[in-house]
Amino acid sequence: MKKFFYWLLAVVITLALSIFQRMTGPTYPKKVTVELHGESSQVKLPRSGVQHDEIVVLNGFPSDTKAQIHYRRYPTSHEFTTVEFSWKDGELQAALPVQPVGGKLQYYITVGGKDYSAEAPIVIRFRNDVPAGILIPHILFMFGAMLIAVYTFIQVVTRKTYDKWLKVTVLFLFVGGFVFGPLVQHAAFGPWWTGFPYGTDLTDNKTLLSFLFFVVSLVTLKWKYNKWLVSLAVLFMIAVFTIPHSAYGSEYDYTTQQLGTAK
């Protein structure tokens, strides 16, 4: 019964961390509340696109609604290009033009003559589509690594044997972060690794640091104070994995016309 409760607790914590990371990341759609004729409607504006024009959709507005989208390449100081939304399939639609892999656009919308997100325009980054055969195993192994790490911590706190779970955590983290992770990065943007020492990608860097913490914990498994190292490794993993996913990742430089990492 206790084992079931421990696993349930580990699942709840892991799901909460995963949802938090997803919703705070720079690729999660931006929710904007639009007011028109005394009524409020919430729209989702995309912050991630693949290699085709990204269609921005506004739902739930009257057929006489006038709306525009204003965009420019990011980071640049170019003037914004304005495009009118048009009615298609019973909804307002406007297209953001596809950009090179890693390329970004900065945009905001106008509905009923009122601007939304104009002071802090939304940034959307374009990438290649990642095959499910690569992406799904990456997600499962990374989720599994976090889940088993949390369970390992619970075993430490409750003074149970944890060495087996520590080894499984290291295995899952290695496969998810250093086998499927580079495959996803390569499929989406081209480079295999954009963390230290090649770039500033926080996703790669936090995976590397977390893995090193667990390797040290595994190497010192026979040390009498190892449980403290394991606890520190798990807490560090939880802390770094709350950092938004994909932050400071690959970014196309429109000046040099080369792919680098965000500054």
Side-chain angles (χ1 to χ4, degrees), residues 24-176:
T24 58
T27 61
Y28 193 76
K30 177 72 173 180
K31 294 181 180 178
V32 175
T33 300
V34 176
E35 296 181 357
L36 186 67
H37 304 320
E39 296 185 0
S40 297
S41 299
Q42 192 173 72
V43 298
K44 292 183 178 180
L45 301 178
R47 295 196 289 175
S48 179
V50 292
Q51 286 299 286
H52 54 69
D53 289 355
E54 184 67 24
I55 305 300
V56 179
V57 175
L58 304 181
N59 286 310
F61 294 96
S63 58
D64 61 346
T65 302
K66 300 296 182 182
Q68 299 83 34
I69 191 167
H70 318 270
Y71 65 85
R72 67 182 177 186
R73 290 176 172 178
Y74 178 85
T76 68
S77 57
H78 299 163
E79 293 294 323
F80 282 93
T81 297
T82 299
V83 174
E84 295 284 337
F85 276 87
S86 59
W87 283 94
K88 186 176 181 180
D89 299 326
E91 59 190 13
L92 285 167
Q93 295 185 6
L96 291 172
V98 64
Q99 299 298 298
V101 172
K104 297 179 179 179
L105 292 176
Q106 188 178 45
Y107 74 96
Y108 67 96
I109 62 173
T110 301
V111 181
K114 184 177 180 180
D115 294 336
Y116 295 90
S117 297
E119 295 183 358
I122 297 162
V123 175
I124 180 173
R125 179 175 65 163
F126 288 79
R127 58 173 174 79
N128 292 318
D129 198 11
V130 179
I134 297 174
L135 184 60
I136 292 176
H138 168 66
I139 293 173
L140 291 177
F141 273 105
M142 294 305 293
F143 182 88
M146 175 63 77
L147 173 63
I148 299 170
V150 173
Y151 185 75
T152 303
F153 179 71
I154 294 173
Q155 294 294 94
V156 171
V157 172
T158 56
R159 300 183 180 182
K160 300 291 194 305
T161 303
Y162 60 84
D163 55 332
K164 175 179 70 175
W165 300 111
L166 175 61
K167 293 174 183 177
V168 176
T169 299
V170 173
L171 175 62
F172 271 53
L173 189 56
F174 176 78
V175 176

Side-chain angles (χ1 to χ4, degrees), residues 181-255:
L183 289 173
V184 170
Q185 174 78 321
H186 177 68
F189 298 106
W192 294 92
W193 181 264
T194 55
F196 179 84
Y198 301 108
T200 59
D201 191 328
L202 289 187
T203 299
D204 287 348
N205 284 331
K206 69 184 182 183
T207 303
L208 175 61
L209 288 173
S210 185
F211 182 72
L212 291 176
F213 263 83
F214 277 104
V215 168
V216 171
S217 299
L218 187 59
V219 171
T220 60
L221 191 57
K222 301 300 182 181
W223 188 36
K224 64 178 181 179
Y225 297 116
N226 177 257
K227 64 181 181 180
W228 298 106
L229 283 178
V230 174
S231 298
L232 182 62
V234 176
L235 292 175
F236 179 81
M237 183 183 193
I238 292 174
V240 299
F241 273 72
T242 59
I243 298 172
H245 196 66
S246 299
Y248 294 97
S250 298
E251 180 178 281
Y252 184 81
D253 189 325
Y254 289 101
T255 302

